[in-house]
Amino acid sequence: MVRETLKAIWAIIICVLLPIEVNGKENTMTGIFNEDFRTIVTEVNGDRMSPPVIGINSNETLTIGFDALREERDYLRYSIYHCDADWSLSDVADTEVFDGFNYADITDYAFSRATAVHYIHYSVTLPNEEFSFRLSGNYILRVYPENDPDDILLQVRFMVTEGSVAIRGEASSRTDTDYNERHQQLTLDVDLNKYPVRDPFNDLTLVVTQNGRHDNEVTVRHPARVSGNSAIYEHLKELIFPGGNEYRRMETVQQTYPGMGVEEIAFHDPYYHHILKMAEPRHSKPYYFDQTQHGRYFVREYNSSNSDTEADYCVVHFTLKMLPVMDGDVYIDGDLTYRHFDDSSQMKYDDEAGVYHKALLLKQGAYNYQYLTVPRSGDGTARTADVEGDFHQTVNEYEVKVYYRAPGERYDRLLGVTLIYSGR
């Protein structure tokens, strides 16, 4: 049965590639523009599960790594750009942000070892001798060949925070929409005691992201009220989120023995193929707690001393058995697809087999993912209800960012970032 399924779902492996523009605007999402490049990984002070945020003028470091599936090293450079709260490029000049020129060579690289797929692993650590940050806010790092700065190969979002405000809050299942059913609602308190803001009602911007997703990210321009030195965000419709479900998990840490969620491994030159167990919708099943990494992945080869260069690449086959969604398309969501809803993550439906299927080329590791439905008409916000279901018990990670633009300033300061978890 598994071999028949493999034969039925085998298709061209879609690379995770970004369009240069989205709806006429410059694309600044983390992702890859060249099919030879793979596996963007960020870590803060060596922690790969932390969001890419470092404090300004702190001792924290951010390391960005990625692979090029090539035999020889490329001479690569990178530049860094300041962005506003909505991730559009800001109006500040490079000289206001950095000392010196806005480019540097990538000199930290290593060749893969004992892998069927040859690659070079590159990394950049910030801040460094070329780049230190004068301004807080959002940033993107862009990588390109040293002789062609217009040929963007990949880009990565990260943030630099002032850490000047305290953010407290909770995510409750007792919402203004329902009570312990399908939603969660955030109540937030931004303490401005150490950073007086002239007009908290109009000068602050609050951005909340659920599990790293961009499609349902919320921007709140005005607090519900101000009490003393606190901006209070409560009983706001924008801060109600569908509960979703715990992320699914799978592991490809071994090439000879099926890991978690894997039904069978087969070798078809030049790749190992990991065929995942047939998935089914979970919306009508009881909620089941499973501790996950909220959509992240961790590169790992079980017998390796350095998985960055010793983990191999394999083709992972996803299948989802369900009736077709009539008004939308099904996508694989998680950091493994960089949260894009496009050809790189869209599953195809096989009418004869009655399944959705997708094949992705991924580096060995432990992965979180979920299946989301995006309506063909609408604003691009995905639904968890169709496949995963919405449960008030789900442990979700909410990243809360507070930006401030003082009167007359031309950029958004990032005053603080915190993580809030539901069910804790």
Side-chain angles (χ1 to χ4, degrees):
M1 174 62 182
V2 173
R3 286 186 172 84
E4 292 176 356
T5 302
L6 172 61
K7 184 177 180 181
I9 69 175
W10 174 249
I12 297 174
I13 301 168
I14 301 295
C15 301
V16 182
L17 299 180
L18 277 175
I20 301 297
E21 292 188 351
V22 177
N23 297 325
K25 295 182 179 180
E26 185 171 4
N27 191 345
T28 60
M29 291 179 63
T30 292
I32 294 172
F33 296 95
N34 185 294
E35 63 182 11
D36 289 346
F37 288 78
R38 303 277 173 158
T39 317
I40 297 172
V41 173
T42 63
E43 60 182 42
V44 175
N45 296 333
D47 183 0
R48 298 195 174 188
M49 294 296 107
S50 294
V53 184
I54 57 174
I56 197 167
N57 300 322
S58 71
N59 293 323
E60 295 175 321
T61 59
L62 169 71
T63 299
I64 298 171
F66 58 90
D67 296 338
L69 306 189
R70 295 178 176 176
E71 298 288 341
E72 300 295 332
R73 172 208 172 185
D74 293 285
Y75 290 90
L76 303 177
R77 282 182 174 172
Y78 66 95
S79 296
I80 297 174
Y81 301 91
H82 191 274
C83 296
D84 289 330
D86 64 356
W87 291 100
S88 60
L89 298 180
S90 69
D91 292 330
V92 297
D94 291 343
T95 54
E96 298 178 72
V97 185
F98 311 112
D99 295 320
F101 299 104
N102 185 10
Y103 66 84
D105 296 328
I106 300 179
T107 58
D108 191 348
Y109 66 93
F111 290 88
S112 61
R113 299 177 56 192
T115 57
V117 178
H118 296 172
Y119 61 88
I120 300 95
H121 179 74
Y122 297 88
S123 61
V124 174
T125 298
L126 300 169
N128 53 42
E129 293 181 358
E130 288 82 11
F131 287 99
S132 59
F133 301 95
R134 294 177 180 172
L135 307 180
S136 65
N138 295 343
Y139 288 88
I140 56 171
L141 177 145
R142 287 175 166 165
V143 176
Y144 52 87
E146 68 169 359
N147 59 354
D148 190 358
D150 294 326
D151 181 16
I152 307 301
L153 303 172
L154 59 92
Q155 62 189 19
V156 185
R157 288 181 174 183
F158 67 95
M159 292 167 283
V160 177
T161 178
E162 296 181 15
S164 54
V165 301
I167 307 169
R168 297 180 291 270
E170 67 170 353
S172 173
S173 58
R174 300 180 297 276
T175 77
D176 295 337
T177 298
D178 52 29
Y179 187 91
N180 287 348
E181 291 186 11
R182 298 185 299 108
H183 294 87
Q184 297 172 353
Q185 183 165 356
L186 273 72
T187 299
L188 302 168
D189 179 342
V190 180
D191 185 350
L192 303 171
N193 184 57
K194 294 183 180 180
Y195 198 102
V197 173
R198 183 185 65 87
D199 184 2
F201 275 108
N202 296 299
D203 296 340
L204 292 179
T205 299
L206 187 83
V207 179
V208 180
T209 308
Q210 183 193 50
N211 299 325
R213 288 172 55 184
H214 308 296
D215 61 295
N216 66 345
E217 187 174 69
V218 169
T219 299
V220 182
R221 300 292 181 183
H222 310 287
R225 60 187 175 92
V226 175
S227 176
N229 291 320
S230 292
I232 310 297
Y233 299 80
E234 61 183 0
H235 297 293
L236 296 176
K237 183 178 180 181
E238 305 99 297
L239 296 181
I240 300 176
F241 293 81
N245 206 338
E246 307 296 347
Y247 276 74
R248 300 172 188 256
R249 294 194 291 162
M250 63 92 172
E251 292 185 354
T252 58
V253 298
Q254 298 188 54
Q255 298 283 47
T256 56
Y257 186 81
M260 178 187 298
V262 178
E263 179 74 21
E264 181 183 348
I265 300 174
F267 182 77
H268 300 278
D269 193 30
Y271 300 116
Y272 282 93
H273 293 252
H274 292 244
I275 300 95
L276 301 188
K277 296 176 182 178
M278 184 82 71
E280 295 181 349
R282 299 187 291 171
H283 55 77
S284 59
K285 297 182 179 180
Y287 168 79
Y288 178 79
F289 170 75
D290 187 17
Q291 186 169 353
T292 70
Q293 287 74 49
H294 309 287
R296 299 182 177 94
Y297 64 81
F298 190 83
V299 172
R300 179 172 176 265
E301 202 283 328
Y302 85 104
N303 199 32
S304 168
S305 60
N306 182 3
S307 293
D308 284 341
T309 55
E310 296 175 14
D312 215 330
Y313 277 83
C314 54
V315 180
V316 180
H317 296 265
F318 299 78
T319 57
L320 172 63
K321 187 173 182 59
M322 63 179 290
L323 295 174
V325 179
M326 303 310 297
D327 67 338
D329 299 303
V330 177
Y331 294 85
I332 300 173
D333 171 68
D335 283 356
L336 76 171
T337 57
Y338 305 112
R339 313 289 182 160
H340 303 153
F341 299 145
D342 54 25
D343 287 344
S344 67
S345 59
Q346 183 179 354
M347 303 189 79
K348 305 300 181 184
Y349 195 74
D350 185 329
D351 291 299
E352 184 177 346
V355 299
Y356 285 93
H357 60 83
K358 183 69 175 179
L360 295 175
L361 183 64
L362 300 173
K363 200 171 185 178
Q364 284 182 273
Y367 287 81
N368 279 192
Y369 65 99
Q370 64 179 347
Y371 297 111
L372 299 181
T373 300
V374 179
R376 297 190 185 97
S377 61
D379 61 1
T381 300
R383 299 188 302 240
T384 46
D386 295 342
V387 182
E388 306 298 358
D390 287 317
F391 300 90
H392 70 86
Q393 305 100 318
T394 304
V395 179
N396 288 306
E397 179 184 270
Y398 295 94
E399 182 182 70
V400 182
K401 295 162 282 189
V402 177
Y403 298 89
Y404 172 57
R405 178 170 294 204
E409 284 195 335
R410 293 176 293 108
Y411 74 100
D412 296 316
R413 297 175 180 268
L414 180 55
L415 300 188
V417 182
T418 195
L419 298 177
I420 294 174
Y421 295 88
S422 58
R424 294 187 182 179

